Amino acid sequence: MLRDVTISRAIIESYFKDLLNNLELDVAIVGAGPSGMVAAYYLAKGGAKVAIFEKKLSIGGGIWGGAMGFNKIVVQEEAKEILDEFGIRYEKFEEGYYVADAIEVATTIASKVVKAGVKIFNMIEVEDLVVKNNRVSGIVINWTPVNMTGLHVDPLTVEAKYVIDSTGHGAQVTQFLLKRGLIERIPGEGPMWADQGERLTVENTREVYPGLYVTGMAANAVSGAPRMGPIFGGMFLSGRKAAQEILSKL
């Protein structure tokens, strides 16, 4: 006979085992969008201990809706090899333009990331950074519903050698450094320009403060570069670039 309390114990014990095991990380990634998940995949494949913290219930960032709810995305020639790496199907539209199913992209990347050894904690919001000796050395976490309802509940901390801000347009993690006066400004992303936005997303992927990397749209927001819309190759390449750079430093 099934016991309700045994079901509860199974969930609670296994979850907190994962949480305890991920309080000390090589890399903590904030945001389970395309650049964050791709970064996590390559980091884990390279032997790093990595976890993703996503404030929403769902993961995948802006992939799911494609453009205006038309659940297709475009990937350019330079990033097609990442779709191949993940085993994602695509069709050639024109020379240099490839179309993939947004649902397949989101679900396949998420599955590959988890199977690579990455733990994803959803419904957990990062509300601050740990900074010691002028270096980011961890994240401050709380339940998303706690922050949504404005309850005064103290957070917990996770220690990490590197943190990646993959929070998208708002660069929410890097904003904490601005709030503390540790960086001078975050100009925010510029108007839509797919060609420049895609190129600069990769170029702007970098360590913006000791221990803190930015990827994807957060990278462009921090640098004032254009947004690019429903083309995702730059996001994928950005995540891979951050992973490769961090692996070379660990």
Side-chain angles (χ1 to χ4, degrees), residues 2-247:
L2 290 172
R3 295 189 65 210
D4 299 282
V5 71
T6 304
I7 296 169
S8 297
R9 284 184 55 238
I11 291 170
I12 294 168
E13 288 184 19
S14 60
Y15 181 89
F16 280 98
K17 180 181 177 182
D18 284 342
L19 184 58
L20 287 169
N21 188 48
N22 286 278
L23 291 178
E24 297 177 82
L25 298 166
D26 290 322
V27 187
I29 298 176
V30 188
S35 68
M37 288 202 294
V38 169
Y41 173 82
Y42 283 104
L43 283 163
K45 296 287 280 187
K49 184 178 181 183
V50 54
I52 303 176
F53 298 84
E54 168 58 55
K55 70 178 183 179
K56 295 182 179 179
L57 177 61
S58 63
I59 60 174
I63 296 175
W64 297 99
M68 274 187 62
F70 307 155
N71 56 2
K72 299 286 186 179
I73 66 165
V74 173
V75 174
Q76 64 271 49
E77 187 73 41
E78 297 84 350
K80 182 165 64 73
E81 64 184 21
I82 294 183
L83 295 181
D84 292 331
E85 167 85 17
F86 281 92
I88 295 169
R89 298 170 297 179
Y90 51 84
E91 295 179 355
K92 185 175 182 179
F93 181 71
E94 289 183 6
E95 195 64 39
Y97 297 81
Y98 299 87
V99 179
D101 181 90
I103 307 304
E104 180 180 356
V105 172
T107 55
T108 302
I109 291 178
S111 176
K112 293 277 189 177
V113 166
V114 172
K115 289 178 179 177
V118 178
K119 177 60 186 175
I120 301 177
F121 294 96
N122 58 331
M123 293 183 63
I124 290 185
E125 187 166 354
V126 173
E127 63 174 47
D128 208 345
L129 288 166
V130 178
V131 181
K132 299 178 181 179
N133 301 317
N134 299 314
R135 180 180 178 85
V136 171
S137 55
I139 55 175
V140 182
I141 61 172
N142 215 326
W143 301 116
T144 299
V146 167
N147 288 328
M148 288 176 66
T149 53
L151 294 173
H152 187 178
V153 178
D154 280 332
L156 294 171
T157 57
V158 174
E159 183 179 287
K161 297 173 184 174
Y162 287 91
V163 173
I164 299 179
D165 181 352
S166 297
T167 58
H169 304 278
Q172 294 166 2
V173 173
T174 312
Q175 294 282 356
F176 298 132
L177 297 179
L178 182 65
K179 178 182 177 181
R180 298 284 191 275
L182 297 174
I183 59 174
E184 292 184 0
R185 65 190 292 264
I186 297 176
E189 65 191 15
M192 183 86 78
W193 187 358
D195 180 68
Q196 292 298 303
E198 283 292 275
R199 179 179 62 82
L200 292 171
T201 297
V202 183
E203 289 187 15
N204 291 330
T205 298
R206 68 191 192 281
E207 191 173 17
V208 293
Y209 189 84
L212 178 65
Y213 270 78
V214 288
T215 67
M217 278 313 307
N220 277 1
V222 169
S223 301
R227 61 182 300 179
M228 77 294 287
I231 179 166
F232 281 78
M235 301 284 195
F236 301 152
L237 293 169
S238 169
R240 185 175 69 177
K241 177 185 176 182
Q244 290 171 339
E245 288 194 11
I246 291 171
L247 285 171

